[in-house]
Amino acid sequence: MAKRVLFAGQCDGHFDILFGKISALLEKQKFDLLLCGGDMFGSDRMQAMQKLIQGEVKAPLPTYFCGPCKEGEAASVDEIGNNLNMIVGSGMVTIEGLEVAIVGVTSNGDIVFPDDQHPSTVDVLLTPAWPKAVAFGAKMEGDGVEGKDKWGSVRVQQLARRLCPRYHIAAGQNLFFKRPPFQSESGVLTRFVGLANVSADSAPNKKFLHALALKPMATLSSSDVSGVTPDTTPNPYSLVEEEEARRKQATTAARDRFSGSYGSMPKGPLLEGERREHRGRDDRPMKRQRHDDDRRGRQQPKEVHPLLQRMDECWFCLASPKVEKHLLISIGDESYIAMAKGPLTPEHVVVLPIAHCSSLLDASSDARQEIEKVKEGLEKAYASRGLVPVIMERFGHTRGNHHAHLQVIGVKSELSSSLLSSFEAAFAAKNLSFTALPGWMAMGEIVKGGPYFYLEIGGRGRYVCPLGNARLSVQIGREVIAELMGEHKKADWKECVTSPKEEKETALSFRSFFKAFDPLA
C-alpha cells in the first residue's frame, strides 16, 4: 500500500506555522508521515532544540527531520517523543518501508554522504540544497528566478547522479519548483521538487509543503520505475555536461590561435590589436557575406568563439586592441591573471575568465573551477610572504562591456583580523550588510541575479552583500583596504599608475615570484 507522505522545506524554527498548516490539512485528508528538509531550527538553534527536547512542541503526525551531522557519522533515527524523530548523521535510512537517502550538513557547512554506500534503490533523496543546474532546460516562472540555470550545489548534483532517486526533495533555495521528470543515469525516472522555507507567505512560489503517495521502489515493476511520461525531459546534468564539453573544445581550438606559453606571453595578432576582418567561407569579409546570406534567406554563420570575439571597448578581453599585454602574468584554458592597473600593493592582481561575461556567476563551471585553483595558488604564494589575499568582485548592471574580474590584494597578515569589521562598517554606512556563505551554499542563492559585492578573506571566510539599488563607489573595496593600511592616497587606482616600463617590470617580478605556485603553468 502506498504511503501518503508530506514533505516540508526548511523550517527555521517556525514550528507553529508548520504544524498549524499540517493540522488544518489533516482535518481534510490523511497522511502517514512528514519528512522535513533543510535546517529545522534556524538561527536561534539552541532555544529551538530545547523546545523540542522539553516537549513544548508536538507534531500532529509522525515527523522526521535532519539533526546534527558529523563527517563519517552513519545516519540513525532518534525518537524524541510527541511524534518527533531526529535523523542524526548522513546515509541511508528506512522510514515506513521507504528507502530514504539523507544528505547531511556538518557544522562547517560541508555537505556529506557516505562514500561507501551505493544503494540499489532510493525512494527519496533528501538534501539541504538544490543540485547544480537542476533547473536547466525547464521552465520556471515568478520573481527571483534570474540565473536559475546556475543555482545549486555541485556536491549535491554529484550525489543525485550517483544515487539516482525516484524523488529528489530539496530545501535551501526558498522557492517552490516542481520539475518535469527526467531519466537518471541508471534509467530511473527522477522527479525533483524544491521547497520554499516555512513562512506565512502564501505566494505560489513560496509553497513549503508537498504531498506524495509513495510505494517502495522494491515493490514496483521496472516500467513503473523507468517508464517515460509525456512530460519527461532530457537529463539536465547531462545536457550541461555536454554543453560544457562543446564549449571547452571550442575554447581549446580558439586558444590555439595564440602562440606562446608561460614564459612567453601570447603575441598573436589578436593581442597585438591588428584589425583584421574575420573571413567567410569564400574569403569575403564576414560582415558583407552575412548581408548577402540574409538576402538569399540562408542561415547566418555561427558567431565566433568568445575568446576570438572582438570586444573593442573591453579592457579585459584578450581579443580587444585595448588589452595591455605587458600586464599579463599567466593564461590558462579558461582564465588568466594580470597585474592590476595602478596596484595598491606589489601583490595586487586581477583574475578573469577568458570568455567575456558580466559576473563570475555567469562564467562557465570550468572557468570557475580553474579560477578556484588560481585563488588557492595565490593564497599559498601570499602566505610565503606573510600576506593574506583579499578577494573581491563588484557586480552591477552597467551599460558598458563590463568583464567579470576578481581583485586580489595581498594584505599583511596582522591586518587580517580587522578586514571583515572594516568592510562591514563601510557597507553599514550605506545600510548594507554582508551574509556569510557556508561552504555548501552558492552565492547565486542569495543575490538572485541582482548586483552584489563579493568578499573572500583568504582561508577565513566568504561573504556576499546584495547591493540592490544602493550607490557605491566602484572602488569601495580598494578604499576600505587602503584606509586600513593607512595609505589613503592610494585609494584611487589612478594615483598609483606608473609608466609602461615600470608596469612591465612589476609584472615580470610577480610572474617570477608566482611561478612555483601557478596552477596555470
Side-chain angles (χ1 to χ4, degrees):
M1 181 180 291
K3 294 291 182 181
R4 293 180 59 81
V5 184
L6 273 176
F7 294 91
Q10 190 161 300
C11 182
D12 285 333
H14 299 306
F15 305 126
D16 293 344
I17 297 176
L18 174 62
F19 293 132
K21 178 80 169 179
I22 292 174
S23 295
L25 287 174
L26 289 174
E27 292 179 1
K28 302 175 183 178
Q29 52 190 311
K30 180 181 180 299
F31 292 97
D32 297 302
L33 69 148
L34 168 69
L35 279 174
C36 300
D39 187 355
M40 188 70 172
F41 305 110
S43 57
D44 200 347
R45 190 174 189 82
M46 293 306 298
Q47 183 177 352
M49 289 185 71
Q50 284 297 320
K51 285 184 178 180
L52 294 185
I53 294 171
Q54 294 174 3
E56 296 179 30
V57 177
K58 294 179 173 62
L61 79 172
T63 297
Y64 297 80
F65 63 90
C66 299
C69 181
K70 296 179 182 178
E71 183 79 42
E73 182 180 18
S76 61
V77 179
D78 291 346
E79 184 177 345
I80 296 176
N82 293 324
N83 267 338
L84 293 164
N85 302 273
M86 182 165 64
I87 305 171
V88 179
S90 65
M92 296 300 302
V93 293
T94 303
I95 300 176
E96 299 284 342
L98 298 171
E99 296 300 322
V100 182
I102 302 295
V103 175
V105 181
T106 68
S107 58
N108 295 326
D110 296 327
I111 288 181
V112 293
F113 189 88
D115 291 333
D116 59 353
Q117 290 193 9
H118 301 276
S120 58
T121 60
V122 177
D123 291 304
V124 177
L125 171 61
L126 199 61
T127 64
W130 289 24
K132 182 77 172 179
V134 71
F136 186 83
K139 185 178 181 180
M140 183 185 291
E141 298 178 342
D143 296 332
V145 300
E146 297 84 359
K148 65 180 178 62
D149 293 343
K150 298 180 175 64
W151 289 350
S153 161
V154 173
R155 174 61 175 157
V156 171
Q157 186 202 98
Q158 292 169 344
L159 290 170
R161 301 185 77 171
R162 175 182 137 198
L163 298 172
C164 302
R166 285 179 63 212
Y167 288 91
H168 184 169
I169 311 295
Q173 196 62 47
N174 196 21
L175 282 175
F176 176 77
F177 174 50
K178 185 179 178 182
R179 194 196 190 285
F182 59 91
Q183 282 195 309
S184 64
E185 275 78 357
S186 70
V188 170
L189 202 65
T190 293
R191 291 172 169 85
F192 173 84
V193 180
L195 294 172
N197 298 350
V198 174
S199 73
D201 193 335
S202 60
N205 65 349
K206 293 299 180 181
K207 178 182 173 183
F208 61 82
L209 286 176
H210 189 66
L212 292 172
L214 298 179
K215 290 182 179 180
M217 190 189 297
T219 67
L220 300 176
S221 66
S222 58
S223 60
D224 290 332
V225 172
S226 306
V228 176
T229 60
D231 60 340
T232 299
T233 72
N235 186 310
Y237 314 133
S238 299
L239 285 178
V240 170
E241 195 173 66
E242 291 166 4
E243 184 175 280
E244 290 290 342
R246 287 193 295 270
R247 194 199 57 76
K248 189 170 184 178
Q249 184 178 18
T251 297
T252 301
R255 194 172 185 274
D256 288 343
R257 290 284 302 272
F258 293 124
S259 59
S261 61
Y262 181 93
S264 175
M265 286 295 104
K267 295 182 181 296
L270 291 176
L271 281 183
E272 295 292 350
E274 295 179 15
R275 294 182 173 274
R276 300 189 303 180
E277 294 174 296
H278 291 294
R279 296 284 166 173
R281 56 183 173 271
D282 55 3
D283 206 35
R284 287 176 292 160
M286 186 68 78
K287 184 175 181 181
R288 172 67 178 275
Q289 182 174 310
R290 286 184 177 179
H291 177 67
D292 290 347
D293 284 348
D294 287 345
R295 288 189 303 179
R296 297 169 190 161
R298 297 179 184 175
Q299 184 178 1
Q300 293 186 16
K302 293 182 179 179
E303 294 182 1
V304 294
H305 188 270
L307 182 57
L308 299 179
Q309 287 176 346
R310 172 90 37 210
M311 302 294 288
D312 287 352
E313 299 305 316
C314 180
W315 292 94
F316 295 128
C317 277
L318 292 180
S320 169
K322 289 190 174 183
V323 70
E324 298 187 64
K325 65 180 183 295
H326 65 279
L327 295 175
L328 296 176
I329 302 298
S330 183
I331 301 177
D333 293 325
E334 307 288 340
S335 63
Y336 74 94
I337 312 168
M339 287 303 300
K341 189 78 171 176
L344 180 58
T345 71
E347 296 82 13
H348 183 178
V349 298
V350 288
V351 182
L352 314 93
I354 290 175
H356 187 95
C357 57
S358 59
S359 78
L360 263 295
L361 288 177
D362 292 329
S364 69
S365 60
D366 283 346
R368 291 196 299 272
Q369 289 173 17
E370 188 171 280
I371 287 172
E372 285 300 316
K373 294 178 182 178
V374 171
K375 286 158 60 176
E376 291 172 6
L378 287 168
E379 185 173 347
K380 292 176 182 178
Y382 288 4
S384 71
R385 289 187 173 181
L387 304 173
V388 171
V390 181
I391 303 170
M392 304 172 290
E393 182 194 9
R394 185 185 187 280
F395 166 68
H397 299 301
T398 62
R399 295 180 180 177
N401 289 322
H402 178 76
H403 192 127
H405 62 279
L406 293 175
Q407 298 275 345
V408 185
I409 303 175
V411 176
K412 292 180 180 179
S413 56
E414 54 263 33
L415 297 177
S416 60
S417 60
S418 303
L419 281 165
L420 180 58
S421 59
S422 297
F423 274 92
E424 288 177 331
F427 280 69
K430 298 289 186 179
N431 295 318
L432 298 171
S433 60
F434 283 92
T435 298
L437 290 169
W440 57 269
M441 181 178 285
M443 183 167 62
E445 297 176 16
I446 294 178
V447 300
K448 306 290 188 185
Y452 63 83
F453 186 95
Y454 174 76
L455 172 66
E456 185 172 340
I457 302 173
R460 290 165 170 79
R462 303 185 306 140
Y463 310 89
V464 66
C465 175
L467 299 180
N469 296 320
R471 292 183 175 274
L472 292 177
S473 164
V474 295
Q475 300 190 81
I476 188 168
R478 180 188 179 113
E479 291 166 0
V480 171
I481 297 175
E483 180 74 21
L484 185 62
M485 292 170 54
E487 299 280 1
H488 313 290
K489 294 182 179 179
K490 292 185 177 182
D492 186 347
W493 69 272
K494 295 178 182 178
E495 298 297 324
C496 301
V497 174
T498 58
S499 68
K501 180 180 178 181
E502 291 174 300
E503 289 177 337
K504 183 176 182 179
E505 291 173 351
T506 301
L508 289 172
S509 175
F510 187 92
R511 192 189 305 172
S512 176
F513 152 66
F514 186 57
K515 186 173 183 179
F517 305 93
D518 187 2
L520 305 183

